[in-house]
Amino acid sequence: MGPVGKQSPSSLPVPAGGSCLILLFCLRLGASCPQSCQCPEHAGAVAVHCSARGLQEIPKDIPANAVLLKLDANKLTHIPNGAFQHLNQLRELDLSQNTIETIGPAAFSGLAGGLRLLDLSHNRIRRIPKDALGKLSAKIRLSHNPLHCECALQEALWELKLDPESVDEIACHTAAQEEFVGKPLIQALDSGVSFCSTHRKTTDVAMLVTMFGWFAMVITYVVYYVRQNQEDARRHLEYLKSLPSAPVSKDPISPVP
């Protein structure tokens, strides 16, 4: 028999258990990225790209170590509560160019501390969800939404950190005051306009109208009461006049013996 040559490392048999572990590891990595999305990883951080995938809801299997999540140009209409609560490492969230109309009050729970940018531009948001956005420290993009400019919107904006690069593109699609329809919201606010003062004036007018209505009702009741009493008094007087009078004797009263 000739000498047995040394086997190269590549030709050494791999234990069956090891191959199974490797296979399971690969499957786990593959399953950690949502279907039809791409999840490139760099230095342990994952960027999840799900742009323009026709998604109608937010994927459930987004990697927990994602730092960037792009869900733009999809068909999302609603952001439910707790949609991103397991993504505490997320730094940037792009939800632009969808058809989002409503956002749950706890939609961004778990992101308050780390999120740096939230893009909600180019959607169908009419009213700012103050409860959902008020606790975020991230820069928020809200341009190109059909916002209704009113007191509630103004109060919500006071608590938000708007992205300075897009803040001038936020416009009033509708407004409590017709003269501001189609105009930039920040321009209107910078000019000293307060939608809340208009709201308070409207409330004051409503209160005055209500008070006047009550006052008119009281006056009407008093007049009715007086007239009713006058009518009762007149009828009583006529009744007394209609009573026959007792005959009076002309003879003097004789003294009693």
Side-chain angles (χ1 to χ4, degrees):
M1 292 179 62
V4 180
K6 295 184 179 180
Q7 292 178 328
S8 62
S10 60
S11 63
L12 291 174
V14 179
S19 62
C20 292
L21 290 176
I22 294 174
L23 178 60
L24 290 174
F25 180 73
C26 294
L27 289 175
R28 186 184 65 82
L29 287 180
S32 65
C33 188
Q35 186 178 6
S36 76
C37 299
Q38 296 179 354
C39 302
E41 182 177 353
H42 178 70
V46 177
V48 181
H49 297 272
C50 300
S51 304
R53 304 294 180 179
L55 300 176
Q56 297 183 4
E57 61 181 17
I58 298 172
K60 304 293 185 182
D61 51 350
I62 300 172
N65 58 342
V67 295
L68 168 65
L69 177 56
K70 294 185 67 65
L71 291 167
D72 55 302
N74 282 290
K75 299 178 180 180
L76 303 176
T77 60
H78 172 67
I79 308 299
N81 292 330
F84 312 101
Q85 60 184 358
H86 66 292
L87 304 177
N88 52 18
Q89 299 184 37
L90 198 62
R91 296 295 178 266
E92 182 175 338
L93 176 57
D94 188 354
L95 293 167
S96 64
Q97 300 183 51
N98 280 277
T99 55
I100 299 172
E101 297 181 358
T102 57
I103 298 175
F108 303 108
S109 60
L111 302 180
L115 195 65
R116 296 291 176 264
L117 177 63
L118 173 60
D119 195 343
L120 290 168
S121 63
H122 295 272
N123 277 286
R124 297 180 182 178
I125 302 172
R126 284 183 50 80
R127 288 176 171 80
I128 300 300
K130 182 179 177 181
D131 294 338
L133 303 179
K135 297 180 181 179
L136 297 178
S137 58
K139 294 180 180 178
I140 301 175
R141 295 175 181 170
L142 289 170
S143 59
H144 302 284
N145 277 288
L147 295 173
H148 178 64
C149 293
E150 57 181 349
C151 182
L153 173 64
Q154 183 175 349
E155 290 179 344
L157 292 180
W158 287 339
E159 300 185 13
L160 303 184
K161 185 178 180 182
L162 297 177
D163 177 37
E165 297 181 2
S166 61
V167 68
D168 292 334
E169 299 175 3
I170 301 176
C172 298
H173 184 74
T174 57
Q177 298 170 266
E178 292 295 330
E179 61 267 26
F180 296 108
V181 174
K183 294 184 178 180
L185 175 59
I186 299 302
Q187 179 181 336
L189 296 178
D190 287 344
S191 65
V193 173
S194 175
F195 296 105
C196 293
S197 62
T198 303
H199 175 72
R200 283 193 291 268
K201 289 179 181 178
T202 304
T203 304
D204 293 342
V205 170
M207 289 181 63
L208 288 175
V209 170
T210 303
M211 292 176 63
F212 178 79
W214 279 105
F215 181 74
M217 289 177 61
V218 172
I219 295 298
T220 302
Y221 176 78
V222 171
V223 171
Y224 171 79
Y225 180 78
V226 171
R227 288 183 177 179
Q228 188 68 27
N229 284 349
Q230 288 178 346
E231 183 67 19
D232 291 343
R234 184 183 63 80
R235 291 176 180 177
H236 184 67
L237 182 59
E238 290 179 353
Y239 172 74
L240 292 177
K241 289 181 179 180
S242 66
L243 292 177
S245 57
V248 180
S249 177
K250 295 183 179 180
D251 296 335
I253 301 175
S254 59
V256 177

